[in-house]
Amino acid sequence: MARVSTTPRRGGIAFAALTALLVSGCADTADRARPTPAPTGSSAAPSASVSAGDPASRAAALAGTLADEDLVGQVLMPYAYGDAATRVSPGSAAGNRALAGVDTPAAMIAKYHLGGLILVGFSADDPTSGNQETTNVDNPKQVRQLTTGLREAAGRLPAGAAPFLIGTDQEFGVVTRITDGVTLLPSALAAGAAGRPELTEAAWRAAGTELAAMGINVDFAPVADVLATPSTVIGSRSYGADPQVAATQVGGAVQGLQAAGVAATLKHFPGHGHSAIDSHTDLPVLEQPRTVLEAGAWVPFRAGVDAGALAVMSGHLDVRSVDPGTPATFSHKLLTGVLRGQLGFRGVVITDGMNMAPAKRWPPGEAAVRALNAGNDLILMPPHVGQAYDGLLAALRDGSLPRARLVEAVTRVLTMKVTLADRATPDLSVLAAPAHRDAAGQLAAAAVTVLRGRCGAPVRGPVTVTASAGRDHTRTVLAEALTAAGVRVVAGGGTVVHLVGYGDDADDLRADAAVTVATDTPYVLAKAVSPTLLATYSSSGASMTALARVLAGKAPPAGRSPVPVPGLPATTCDS
């Protein structure tokens, strides 16, 4: 069983071989014959050609056998409607027909020779909900059955010898696609507060193992954005405001995920944390000088590259100091010049969702061509699959998409696939395993921070737990955790512990709270009057258990705020 490489310089050697092999692949003509389709239920004919050699050589060999239609399909990674590969509800079938002219996800894979598919869904307080048109996820067993069906469909394609890519946004915290029956890690900001990358690596190894058990081999995480500007679009998805702290955490997350056989994706290059504007609806503008970006925004991306990240997601961001007016997703200067040239990235560049507003200024086909020519290798979530596919195919044949660029992109995609191929799929029994829950718990415990009040002082009981609107579940979880920690909890009249979370402001605070706790970014604590202020940065069960132990005086609050909060120290435990 091959280990997924986490050393980029080894990857650089592989991609050097890839480049050499591209020369022969680019000699194919636009009107070559289509390969004969493989019989239903079997691998495609090229399987023998990828059975030996390093991943880049195997990928280049396979790419050289593919017809134009297959090359184009390999750079597309759309979403689909439905919770199964071949049987969907009438509503899901209608959604797929509008998106791609087919009824089912399996039919979409077959018609467009797809290289991958993203599983989408919704979660509470999700800042990415604007481009989540549907949901594919319900529970781990259903997800495993879905991914198995998708791979069966993809295995019949000429590129089927390389495993189908199935990705999702499992960042944890406010962006978590699969929540039931899995180990839920605390948010990235909580990990930044803990400041212990070895705990981050262990937690993400557990998370990666569980993703692999469900058949997911690409995670669109970790977020490598430095939180230079308070925002709700990035917020607790980031590891913090300090580029070096974020860098060590990003490296740990990458190593943990990829040790479990799941590709890590650094996002959103060149740094969404330097703007508070939401790129789902508008084009954020980064006004910072290039030197500021180099010393800040790009540091965690470089660390992720050095840790061996297999993928980077390009962001819909206008970087005025590098390529003014052009979203980074479509900027050759940023993707090819900076990301590949300056940072040395050799893996797969994936667009952010092409169904987001900045990418929809062009029709789907033109946008896909522009993105590929800029240096992206995978087109994520095109708003219309057929138009993106047809646009790429037409551009390939008229020369506006150079064949060398497409073959290069496909070979990178196939290299990642082959790199991930030799991993056994874990059994679903690994989900929420005690060791995994322990890894999440240790990370959450190390994050709890006291920003006002005596370090480690237990709360005086009995306790009444309150929360801002919409946080009843978190309130209940904390109340149960306090009871388990030996603290008496009463419905009213006790010492008030008040929880605030994502998007809350001064109106959500309570003046009578003895303790106020931020379960997302801690900025709102600057306006709180409570004598004791704490932050968990996350509302996960592990974070509430850790908070309860601190409030009960059974564990020390070891965290430091990874972002500056006006008027408050990073922790009172230094004094």
Side-chain angles (χ1 to χ4, degrees):
M1 187 167 67
R3 176 180 172 84
V4 176
S5 171
T6 58
T7 305
R9 303 314 169 200
R10 288 199 297 260
I13 294 170
F15 277 101
L18 176 158
T19 304
L21 284 158
L22 285 177
V23 176
S24 60
C26 295
D28 295 336
T29 57
D31 57 352
R32 66 182 167 184
R34 288 278 314 271
T36 302
T40 299
S42 70
S43 296
S47 59
S49 67
V50 297
S51 61
D54 67 273
S57 298
R58 294 158 66 188
L62 178 55
T65 71
L66 299 180
D68 292 351
E69 294 83 356
D70 301 298
L71 291 171
V72 167
Q74 284 301 297
V75 300
L76 292 175
M77 195 173 191
Y79 66 94
Y81 291 82
D83 60 5
T86 57
R87 296 189 304 276
V88 300
S89 69
S92 291
N96 286 323
R97 285 193 292 272
L99 178 65
V102 297
D103 284 351
T104 67
M108 191 184 300
I109 291 168
K111 180 173 182 178
Y112 297 106
H113 316 265
L114 297 179
L117 202 75
I118 179 174
L119 305 186
V120 295
F122 310 100
S123 58
D125 296 330
D126 183 359
T128 70
S129 60
N131 74 328
Q132 302 295 297
E133 303 289 345
T134 183
T135 183
N136 305 119
V137 298
D138 181 28
N139 61 73
K141 183 178 179 181
Q142 171 265 321
V143 173
R144 173 73 172 261
Q145 290 172 342
L146 169 61
T147 58
T148 298
L150 297 176
R151 287 205 166 87
E152 287 174 353
R156 302 183 184 108
L157 299 175
F164 193 63
L165 296 179
I166 301 176
T168 198
D169 293 286
Q170 193 79 344
E171 297 176 14
F172 298 102
V174 293
V175 178
T176 307
R177 299 291 178 241
I178 305 166
T179 58
D180 293 338
V182 300
T183 301
L184 294 176
L185 307 188
S187 69
L189 200 62
R196 296 180 58 184
E198 76 279 7
L199 295 182
T200 301
E201 180 177 351
W204 277 98
R205 185 182 296 110
T209 300
E210 296 190 8
L211 287 170
M214 292 182 283
I216 294 166
N217 58 2
V218 180
D219 193 4
F220 298 116
V223 172
D225 302 319
V226 174
L227 194 57
T229 303
S231 75
T232 54
V233 64
I234 298 300
S236 61
R237 302 165 68 191
S238 165
Y239 288 98
D242 186 316
Q244 297 301 329
V245 170
T248 60
Q249 292 294 324
V250 166
V254 167
Q255 291 170 344
L257 263 176
Q258 295 191 172
V262 175
T265 309
L266 310 174
K267 65 184 187 185
H268 311 77
F269 185 80
H272 206 317
H274 279 64
S275 173
I277 303 300
D278 187 351
S279 61
H280 294 88
T281 55
D282 297 290
L283 178 62
V285 174
L286 275 60
E287 301 279 7
Q288 297 85 355
R290 180 170 180 150
T291 53
V292 171
L293 298 176
E294 289 175 337
W298 300 347
V299 173
F301 287 97
R302 183 184 292 278
V305 169
D306 289 344
L310 293 173
V312 172
M313 178 179 286
S314 57
H316 303 314
L317 305 164
D318 179 359
V319 184
R320 292 298 172 89
S321 62
V322 179
D323 197 358
T326 303
T329 319
F330 305 99
S331 171
H332 189 271
K333 290 180 180 179
L334 280 159
L335 299 187
T336 303
V338 175
L339 180 58
R340 295 207 185 276
Q342 186 172 338
L343 302 187
F345 182 60
R346 299 290 179 265
V348 173
V349 180
I350 306 172
T351 70
D352 204 346
M354 297 291 277
N355 60 346
M356 295 163 64
K360 291 172 72 174
R361 63 169 66 177
W362 301 285
E366 183 180 352
V369 172
R370 285 175 175 267
L372 214 65
N373 278 331
N376 293 281
D377 304 304
L378 264 178
I379 307 299
L380 188 67
M381 301 178 76
H384 193 281
V385 182
Q387 291 176 25
Y389 178 88
D390 290 344
L392 288 168
L393 191 60
L396 176 65
R397 290 174 171 167
D398 70 19
S400 56
L401 172 60
R403 180 171 297 275
R405 171 76 273 267
L406 178 61
V407 173
E408 179 183 54
V410 171
T411 310
R412 287 193 180 117
V413 170
L414 293 175
T415 298
M416 183 165 77
K417 290 184 172 190
V418 174
T419 301
L420 297 169
D422 298 327
R423 302 298 298 243
T425 301
D427 188 81
L428 284 175
S429 62
V430 304
L431 270 65
H436 294 179
R437 296 198 305 270
D438 183 60
Q442 288 188 49
L443 184 58
V448 181
T449 307
V450 180
L451 292 92
R452 179 188 294 159
R454 191 154 59 90
C455 178
V459 67
R460 296 178 62 182
V463 167
T464 297
V465 181
T466 64
S468 58
R471 310 199 187 283
D472 286 343
H473 174 72
T474 306
R475 179 184 58 79
T476 299
V477 172
L478 176 59
E480 292 173 349
L482 283 167
T483 301
V487 177
R488 183 179 170 218
V489 178
V490 294
T495 300
V496 175
V497 175
H498 185 63
L499 304 176
V500 289
Y502 174 83
D504 286 345
D505 56 26
D507 292 338
D508 297 293
L509 299 168
R510 280 186 63 147
D512 64 341
V515 180
T516 298
V517 184
T519 64
D520 195 71
T521 55
Y523 303 116
V524 69
L525 296 182
K527 303 173 184 177
V529 298
S530 301
T532 300
L533 302 177
L534 292 93
T536 61
Y537 316 95
S538 167
S539 60
S540 70
S543 294
M544 292 303 98
T545 297
L547 173 62
R549 288 181 55 78
V550 168
L551 291 172
K554 293 187 174 182
R560 298 178 59 85
S561 178
V563 296
V565 180
L568 295 173
T571 175
T572 64
C573 293
D574 286 344
S575 56

